[in-house]
Amino acid sequence: MPALDREDNEITPLTICRLGQKGCDMAKVHGHVQGHQAVISTDRLPSDLSLSEIVLRLYRSI
């Protein structure tokens, strides 16, 4: 199910490509449940990968 904003419009996931377009090559991800956090380089990640997928991958690797 897609994420929605307050007006029920679908929110486009933030991808590695969109981060690069904004001049970002690093991402800080934070898991609220267990309090883990990491700063990762996005240079070698697939451009279509979303930040939410990165968080899930990190969560599953801990």
Side-chain angles (χ1 to χ4, degrees):
M1 180 161 63
L4 303 175
D5 65 14
R6 292 182 182 168
E7 288 81 38
D8 290 330
N9 299 311
E10 186 174 338
I11 299 172
T12 305
L14 184 57
T15 61
I16 298 303
C17 179
R18 287 183 56 206
L19 276 177
Q21 291 170 350
K22 295 177 182 282
C24 299
D25 62 357
M26 303 286 283
K28 181 178 180 180
V29 292
H30 181 81
H32 293 285
V33 175
Q34 296 178 341
H36 297 288
Q37 62 182 4
V39 176
I40 58 171
S41 171
T42 59
D43 291 341
R44 296 176 12 190
L45 297 175
S47 63
D48 62 341
L49 190 64
S50 71
L51 285 184
S52 58
E53 290 176 276
I54 294 170
V55 171
L56 284 174
R57 289 179 184 191
L58 288 173
Y59 177 75
R60 290 179 183 152
S61 71
I62 296 173

